[in-house]
Amino acid sequence: MPKIHELSENLTNQIAAGEVIERPASVVKELVENSLDAGATRIRVDFIDAGLKQIVVQDNGTGIARDQVDLAFTRHATSKINNEHDLFKVATLGFRGEALASISAVSHVEIITATEGAIGVRATFSGGNKKGQEDSAARQGTKITVKDLFFNTPARLKYLRSPRTETMKIVDIINRLSLGYPHVSFTLSNTGKVILRTTGNGNLKQTVANVYGRHIAEGMEEFQAKDSDFKINGLMSKPSLTRSTRNFISILLNGRYIKNFQLNTAIMDGYGSKLAARHYPIVVLAIHVDPLLVDVNVHPTKQEVRLSKEKELSRLITSAISNALVEKVEQTSAFSNLHNQRDTLVDQLEFNLNQDVVNTTRSKEPEVHEEESVFSAPKKDATEEKQTSSGYVNLNIPREDDKYIITKTWDKNVALQQTLTPFSSNQNNQEVISSGDETLANNLPRLAYIGQTDTYLISENNGDLFLVDQVAARRRLKFEQIFKMIAAKKIVQQGLLTPIVLEFGNLDFLQIKDRIEQIKTLGIHLEEFGQNSFIVRSYPTWIHNNIEESIRQILDSYLNLDKGKSNSLFKRVAALQAKREIKGKIKLSAAEGKQILLDLRKTTDPYHDADGRIVLIRMSQNELRKMFKRNE
């Protein structure tokens, strides 16, 4: 066994740094938390090259006394706890005394600090060792510069993500802290370009506007509740404003951003069925509780905490959000908004407009008594009498009724089905669809227009009655028109007399900027315009109503979609725009009604609109006879 020896101070510092400093965002978090604990009301963060080259954090807090600078960079040195009892009532963000020592162990650090009425001091550290100290002119507060992060531990660099991802991690940290401290003014800049600036006036909704953008802040509602142990308040988005991940849910416990699955679930439970599947709200939840009920000393980064009475807190959160939705937001259940999957040929058989191909209709079987059986129906010929007496039915013999699979039109319809080909000659330049969907489309007969009610077009074919929902039909036609234009990339632009300026939160701005070339394929050309803003000078002609709102909803679709699924996105955008343009029923002329019926036969799925809702229903002659009891 190798000889046991004590690790050097430098090595122990680097090991400790591995627990606390995982990436540049960890440095930013620790330094900003120290500034907040120092009572700062203005904090500025600047970084270069995703924080690897340089990070600067400056505040106007109480500062560090000149004789305590060395102690501040020593492990387990802190001014925030004095004995073991203080661990059970931690009221500050940092308390372990590891941040500055861990940061200086893996970088070059310069600190300039001054307390009230005292001469400032400047000190430098590198690789965990102090390099020098001198007097310096400085205002009250602290400015810490971190350069060349992980210069002496290059293995750490292999596990970092792309510069864009590391930048977004830093932005996310500052966003969360600014939401937890709306009374503190934060400024965040990347290579000199400001990407976040909050006012620090204590208005949470104003801070949300600075972080996520004015458009989102205007769509959020306040909520609050309290009991004997907890007091909660915050802002929640309406069910119509969602994102594809939980990353926009911020839980702040006494100002500390935490991750807690059970509390996240409580928030989702508060929305109930008002959210569509895999959609998550934008929520800022501030929880105020006695520090005695919280243990924050369970993880080095302090993002995971242990809570007493967590179930009671979860119930309070759920009820607060649920009550706010009832009082302030009108929204139908998401069960009516679920997108139905497009039926395949097998699933569609019961709805197949040419039902005689395979008729699955079954009449209700009569009750069987001791003196009679199912097969005691009136005899029609000798063949059927033989079938009945033997206790079985020959399914190869057609019958007049609709009780069994084979009908008199079987042979004719089988021959018709066999003429359908997976790829007809006139579809060479069109979207390839499955053989099942093609069969459904080709099975739609030519409908003869009869008239219309307030909502439905009435038509018939071969004695069968068809009711067509005019709104769903028009949406299907509009969807097909827009989708074909986008897929073919033949989009005509219309110039704007007054350009539109779109403001976003910093994270949304970075994501849209990363996909700006993909967005151009829709005919939407965005130009950067100031802080977290884009300007639009023209728009695609397939957008007709409320240009700004339509473009915002399209960009929201990009924020809610996995990168690379452009074809799925095109369909979502086309469906969204079709729904926006076709909002309700209108009075149609007979010519317009006939044209809708003709155009419907040319669509890839004439039975559903783009959201999966049924376009038409068929009532056969047999069903009509039953309704009027003509079979009795």
Side-chain angles (χ1 to χ4, degrees), residues 341-388:
Q341 299 291 331
R342 292 209 321 177
D343 295 340
T344 63
L345 177 61
V346 176
D347 298 327
Q348 185 68 17
L349 287 175
E350 290 186 4
F351 184 67
N352 196 337
L353 299 180
N354 200 346
Q355 289 188 5
D356 285 339
V357 176
V358 179
N359 196 326
T360 60
T361 306
R362 295 288 187 275
S363 297
K364 184 177 180 181
E365 298 292 347
E367 296 181 3
V368 179
H369 302 285
E370 293 181 359
E371 64 274 7
E372 62 180 3
S373 69
V374 175
F375 303 105
S376 62
K379 301 177 181 179
K380 294 191 176 183
D381 51 41
T383 303
E384 289 194 27
E385 182 178 1
K386 181 179 179 181
Q387 295 173 5
T388 304

Side-chain angles (χ1 to χ4, degrees), residues 476-493:
R476 163 52 64 176
L477 296 176
K478 178 59 69 174
F479 165 79
E480 299 259 343
Q481 176 189 357
I482 295 174
F483 180 70
K484 287 179 181 178
M485 290 177 62
I486 295 174
K489 299 182 180 179
K490 296 179 180 179
I491 302 174
V492 180
Q493 291 287 314

Side-chain angles (χ1 to χ4, degrees), residues 11 48 167 226 308 312 334 338 344 368 431 500 581 615:
L11 187 55
I48 301 174
T167 296
K226 65 178 180 179
S308 298
E312 290 81 352
L338 292 177
T344 63
V368 179
E431 178 190 12
I500 298 173
E581 293 192 24
V615 171

Side-chain angles (χ1 to χ4, degrees), residues 499-617:
I500 298 173
V501 177
L502 303 174
E503 298 178 358
F504 292 93
N506 41 39
L507 286 176
D508 287 349
F509 175 83
L510 292 173
Q511 291 188 61
I512 292 174
K513 182 180 177 181
D514 190 54
R515 300 180 178 184
I516 201 165
E517 292 300 323
Q518 188 182 16
I519 295 172
K520 283 183 180 179
T521 59
L522 292 173
I524 300 175
H525 299 272
L526 304 174
E527 303 174 21
E528 288 191 52
F529 186 76
Q531 179 183 337
N532 300 336
S533 300
F534 295 103
I535 189 169
V536 181
R537 303 185 188 275
S538 63
Y539 65 94
T541 54
W542 52 264
I543 299 178
H544 296 101
N545 303 323
N546 199 336
I547 308 303
E548 180 176 351
E549 189 63 26
S550 294
I551 293 177
R552 278 193 177 277
Q553 290 199 7
I554 292 167
L555 296 179
D556 280 344
S557 298
Y558 270 91
L559 297 173
N560 285 331
L561 192 77
D562 293 335
K563 189 174 181 180
K565 297 182 179 179
S566 58
N567 192 53
S568 174
L569 178 66
F570 292 165
K571 290 183 178 179
R572 181 187 295 189
V573 169
L576 178 67
Q577 190 59 26
K579 191 173 182 179
R580 284 185 58 82
E581 293 192 24
I582 311 297
K583 293 185 176 180
K585 57 194 177 185
I586 60 174
K587 183 66 176 177
L588 298 171
S589 65
E592 291 172 329
K594 292 177 182 178
Q595 191 62 47
I596 287 177
L597 298 179
L598 288 174
D599 293 341
L600 205 55
R601 299 186 71 234
K602 303 175 185 178
T603 61
T604 55
D605 183 357
Y607 309 105
H608 303 94
D609 68 4
D611 288 335
R613 296 181 179 87
I614 293 177
V615 171
L616 53 85
I617 61 172

Side-chain angles (χ1 to χ4, degrees), residues 9-149:
E9 182 179 357
N10 186 47
L11 187 55
T12 56
N13 284 341
Q14 290 189 16
I15 293 173
E19 297 178 353
V20 179
I21 309 303
E22 300 174 342
R23 56 184 1 123
S26 304
V27 175
V28 173
K29 175 181 179 296
E30 297 292 342
L31 294 181
V32 173
E33 286 183 347
N34 280 346
S35 296
L36 291 170
D37 288 340
T41 58
R42 292 193 305 275
I43 301 174
R44 182 180 180 92
V45 181
D46 304 270
F47 63 94
I48 301 174
D49 290 349
L52 290 174
K53 186 175 181 180
Q54 179 173 288
I55 297 172
V56 180
V57 177
Q58 184 172 2
D59 65 62
N60 65 340
T62 56
I64 303 173
R66 60 187 301 108
D67 58 343
Q68 293 188 325
V69 171
D70 290 351
L71 193 59
F73 282 82
T74 303
R75 288 190 65 202
H76 308 311
T78 180
S79 62
K80 300 164 188 176
I81 57 175
N82 296 312
N83 52 56
E84 64 273 14
H85 300 293
D86 291 341
L87 285 176
F88 299 101
K89 52 179 181 178
V90 175
T92 56
L93 298 178
F95 57 89
R96 289 171 173 263
E98 298 178 10
L100 293 180
S102 297
I103 293 170
S104 65
V106 291
S107 64
H108 305 299
V109 177
E110 176 190 72
I111 180 172
I112 301 175
T113 183
T115 56
E116 184 179 3
I119 299 175
V121 60
R122 172 182 174 273
T124 57
F125 297 81
S126 178
N129 299 315
K130 186 177 182 180
K131 297 299 181 180
Q133 178 174 325
E134 60 185 5
D135 292 343
S136 175
R139 295 181 179 179
Q140 179 180 335
T142 303
K143 177 182 179 181
I144 297 181
T145 303
V146 179
K147 296 183 178 180
D148 303 327
L149 188 62

